[in-house]
Amino acid sequence: MKNVFSGDFTQGFPFQGNMTGNDPSGFPFQGDFSKSETQVKPQPEIFETNDFVYVKLPMPNKDNKNLKLQHTNHQLILINYPKENEQSKYMLPSPVKRKGTRARFLDDYLEIQFIRLDESNISEIDISY
């Protein structure tokens, strides 16, 4: 790399150091990036087993009666989460079945359990020469 870029090639990369905005010397943009100005969307913990896909969402306020859960085979859609009139979408790691999904509150989390969809359908494709 030194032969191609001569010397310290890392100086040519603009984004180095702490990217959170807490360290202005490592962040190329100027400005105040406090949490009060930019809201960070809660990130769920998503993992899968042989039979299920689990989504664990931070949910400190269990009184959110307007929360609605919807899903496709590949995506979880949360309506009125994290705040009222907001929508969040999360990709699932593998396809899930339409029926059999369960949700429950555990401590300060909402746990959603999906049944994995077995993709045993194999399609054969002809190759034209």
Side-chain angles (χ1 to χ4, degrees), residues 108-124:
D108 287 339
Y109 291 93
L110 174 66
E111 181 186 82
I112 306 165
Q113 178 188 33
F114 299 95
I115 299 173
R116 283 185 62 178
L117 182 64
D118 294 329
E119 288 193 273
S120 58
N121 299 337
I122 297 175
S123 298
E124 188 170 320

Side-chain angles (χ1 to χ4, degrees), residues 20-24 27-34 37:
T20 62
N22 296 333
D23 181 16
F27 196 70
F29 302 109
Q30 299 299 321
D32 184 17
F33 293 102
S34 65
E37 290 182 17

Side-chain angles (χ1 to χ4, degrees), residues 45-61:
E45 183 180 340
I46 301 174
F47 57 94
E48 62 183 319
T49 63
N50 289 338
D51 299 321
F52 300 103
V53 173
Y54 291 95
V55 177
K56 190 175 178 183
L57 285 163
M59 187 74 60
N61 184 9

